[in-house]
Amino acid sequence: MSSASPDKRPKMESALEQLKKHTVVVADTGDFKAIDEYKPQDATTNPSLLLAAAKMPSYQHLLDDAINYGMAKGGSVEEQIENAMDKLFVHFGVEILKQLPGRVSTEVDARLSYDKDGMVAKALKFINMYKEAGISKERVLIKLSSTWEGIQAGRELEEKHGVHCNMTLLFSFAQAVACAEAKVTLASAFVGRIFDWYKENTDRKSFEPHEDPGVLSVTKIYNYYKKFGYSTVVMGASFRNTGQVKALAGCDLLTISPSLLSELSQDHSTVVETLNVEKAKASDLEKVHLDEKTFRWEHNEDRMAVEKLSDGIRKFAADAIKLEAMIKEKILDVKNGK
């Protein structure tokens, strides 16, 4: 009996399919088509992604509906813009949830990053708007900047309101520890932006995946959370290449851009689980506790984290302002009968 010819042999699973066996794959996009193509469990959005999506002709109906909502709510032009923008964020979230089984992350305005009460209020407004659209709060993660104020807003939302939070712009180990102690649902550690900083500020211009500073950061956070039994889960984010993604196979979640999802779907190399609870429990990490004073000092000692957190907040705020300008222009066009 002859063996099967080479072209009849079963094709090796793609790296993406293998990765899904070890890790929850999340799509980092506001583009519904990409979500439909790569079949992630969850999706994450932010002002930058939604600004890009809102410019696409195929999503103009969502923008128009959000503007009508904002105008119908009345108030000053500024209040109408704010309500329209909040509605747009929720509109995208609702549409995304139609295409996946899990959760969507919706981000609170980065300009509130140092205003705990403002973040809590905005988060609860989002949750109420989702409820009006028939979406349970269990399917929504509220994204908050991982400032001290943001982490405490996350603590309050989780404890008092049962609202699940995704702490974003996380670069330092101090931020990660504070998130775990606040018992937030999820912490998003930014692999690619850490990598960018080391490329720009050190003599090293390239790293093998296993020595990549962003990969090492997520690995340490994952091991710490698992070793000490924290409920907070870790999501690697902001990847620059598929090597970084594959080096974190086994992490709780990985949020990946459509371009890298496409590369992974065409990559048939073997993906090996690198992170797991057994390895984490065997690590030599020691438990630490951070009050506000210690958090601020430890975070401040990490130059990379200080610079990338402030830079991330500024960039998300800048894109939120651009989105507001787009909405304002459309509102004024409607008012002027254009």
Side-chain angles (χ1 to χ4, degrees), residues 103-104 106 127 130 135-142 164:
R103 302 174 295 191
V104 69
T106 297
I127 292 298
Y130 272 111
I135 302 294
S136 160
K137 66 183 179 183
E138 297 304 317
R139 297 198 69 197
V140 180
L141 286 165
I142 296 295
H164 300 299

Side-chain angles (χ1 to χ4, degrees), residues 128-184:
N128 189 56
M129 292 172 82
Y130 272 111
K131 185 178 179 181
E132 289 172 354
I135 302 294
S136 160
K137 66 183 179 183
E138 297 304 317
R139 297 198 69 197
V140 180
L141 286 165
I142 296 295
K143 282 178 81 175
L144 303 164
S145 298
S146 296
T147 56
W148 178 260
E149 295 80 4
I151 294 166
Q152 300 319 306
R155 182 194 295 273
E156 183 172 322
L157 286 163
E158 299 267 5
E159 283 182 2
K160 294 186 179 178
H161 304 284
V163 171
H164 300 299
C165 297
N166 170 357
M167 304 309 303
T168 190
L169 295 174
L170 194 154
F171 302 98
S172 71
F173 188 62
Q175 288 174 295
V177 171
C179 287
E181 293 194 323
K183 298 182 180 178
V184 296

Side-chain angles (χ1 to χ4, degrees), residues 15-202:
L16 181 58
E17 290 307 311
Q18 294 174 70
L19 189 65
K20 286 179 178 180
K21 293 179 179 177
H22 305 296
T23 291
V24 173
V25 170
V26 180
D28 196 19
T29 183
D31 183 0
F32 312 148
K33 291 175 188 156
I35 291 167
D36 183 57
E37 183 173 356
Y38 299 111
K39 306 289 188 290
Q41 173 76 15
D42 295 351
T44 49
T45 63
N46 62 47
S48 306
L49 294 173
L50 293 190
L51 174 65
K55 292 177 180 176
M56 297 180 188
S58 52
Y59 301 136
Q60 285 309 297
H61 65 291
L62 295 179
L63 182 57
D64 292 341
D65 190 73
I67 286 163
N68 291 336
Y69 173 89
M71 293 179 70
K73 284 291 221 181
S76 66
V77 171
E78 288 70 28
E79 288 170 327
Q80 291 176 41
I81 292 168
E82 181 181 355
N83 283 322
M85 189 140 133
D86 291 345
K87 186 65 171 177
L88 183 64
F89 277 44
V90 172
H91 262 336
F92 269 95
V94 169
E95 291 302 313
I96 286 168
L97 286 172
K98 290 177 183 176
Q99 300 188 56
L100 48 77
R103 302 174 295 191
V104 69
S105 289
T106 297
E107 187 151 345
V108 165
D109 194 324
R111 290 168 290 182
L112 295 171
S113 294
Y114 300 98
D115 178 356
K116 178 177 82 74
D117 293 341
M119 284 183 271
V120 170
K122 180 67 77 175
L124 294 176
K125 181 181 179 183
F126 278 145
I127 292 298
N128 189 56
M129 292 172 82
Y130 272 111
K131 185 178 179 181
E132 289 172 354
I135 302 294
S136 160
K137 66 183 179 183
E138 297 304 317
R139 297 198 69 197
V140 180
L141 286 165
I142 296 295
K143 282 178 81 175
L144 303 164
S145 298
S146 296
T147 56
W148 178 260
E149 295 80 4
I151 294 166
Q152 300 319 306
R155 182 194 295 273
E156 183 172 322
L157 286 163
E158 299 267 5
E159 283 182 2
K160 294 186 179 178
H161 304 284
V163 171
H164 300 299
C165 297
N166 170 357
M167 304 309 303
T168 190
L169 295 174
L170 194 154
F171 302 98
S172 71
F173 188 62
Q175 288 174 295
V177 171
C179 287
E181 293 194 323
K183 298 182 180 178
V184 296
T185 297
L186 186 151
S188 291
F190 278 49
V191 177
R193 295 195 196 187
I194 294 174
F195 168 80
D196 294 344
W197 189 91
Y198 278 90
K199 271 183 66 179
E200 291 163 11
N201 292 279
T202 70

Side-chain angles (χ1 to χ4, degrees), residues 98-329:
K98 290 177 183 176
Q99 300 188 56
L100 48 77
R103 302 174 295 191
V104 69
S105 289
T106 297
E107 187 151 345
V108 165
D109 194 324
R111 290 168 290 182
L112 295 171
S113 294
Y114 300 98
D115 178 356
K116 178 177 82 74
D117 293 341
M119 284 183 271
V120 170
K122 180 67 77 175
L124 294 176
K125 181 181 179 183
F126 278 145
I127 292 298
N128 189 56
M129 292 172 82
Y130 272 111
K131 185 178 179 181
E132 289 172 354
I135 302 294
S136 160
K137 66 183 179 183
E138 297 304 317
R139 297 198 69 197
V140 180
L141 286 165
I142 296 295
K143 282 178 81 175
L144 303 164
S145 298
S146 296
T147 56
W148 178 260
E149 295 80 4
I151 294 166
Q152 300 319 306
R155 182 194 295 273
E156 183 172 322
L157 286 163
E158 299 267 5
E159 283 182 2
K160 294 186 179 178
H161 304 284
V163 171
H164 300 299
C165 297
N166 170 357
M167 304 309 303
T168 190
L169 295 174
L170 194 154
F171 302 98
S172 71
F173 188 62
Q175 288 174 295
V177 171
C179 287
E181 293 194 323
K183 298 182 180 178
V184 296
T185 297
L186 186 151
S188 291
F190 278 49
V191 177
R193 295 195 196 187
I194 294 174
F195 168 80
D196 294 344
W197 189 91
Y198 278 90
K199 271 183 66 179
E200 291 163 11
N201 292 279
T202 70
D203 293 333
R204 290 289 300 272
K205 302 305 172 193
S206 65
F207 298 88
E208 289 300 314
H210 69 276
E211 59 179 6
D212 184 295
V215 170
L216 294 176
S217 174
V218 174
T219 300
K220 182 179 180 181
I221 294 166
Y222 174 91
N223 287 343
Y224 185 81
Y225 284 8
K226 297 299 179 272
K227 179 169 183 175
F228 297 108
Y230 287 108
S231 58
T232 303
V233 295
V234 188
M235 181 163 72
S238 121
F239 292 101
R240 298 293 177 258
N241 56 65
T242 57
Q244 293 172 334
V245 176
K246 292 188 285 187
L248 289 170
C251 189
D252 297 310
L253 306 96
L254 299 174
T255 185
I256 308 167
S257 67
S259 62
L260 292 182
L261 287 170
S262 175
E263 284 187 42
L264 288 165
S265 70
Q266 296 164 47
D267 175 356
H268 293 281
S269 62
T270 301
V271 174
V272 179
E273 182 185 63
T274 55
L275 303 185
N276 60 52
V277 175
E278 291 72 26
K279 285 183 187 175
K281 289 192 179 296
S283 68
D284 59 1
L285 293 166
E286 295 183 3
K287 194 169 188 179
V288 295
H289 165 66
L290 299 179
D291 58 14
E292 181 179 353
K293 295 188 292 292
T294 315
F295 167 85
R296 292 192 186 280
W297 178 257
E298 293 294 334
H299 179 71
N300 189 67
E301 285 290 278
D302 188 335
R303 180 184 151 208
M304 175 278 296
V306 170
E307 291 178 9
K308 295 310 288 184
L309 173 60
S310 59
D311 182 59
I313 289 171
R314 283 193 300 272
K315 284 180 176 171
F316 281 156
D319 282 340
I321 290 167
K322 289 176 188 172
L323 196 49
E324 281 181 346
M326 185 191 301
I327 290 169
K328 182 176 183 179
E329 184 181 353

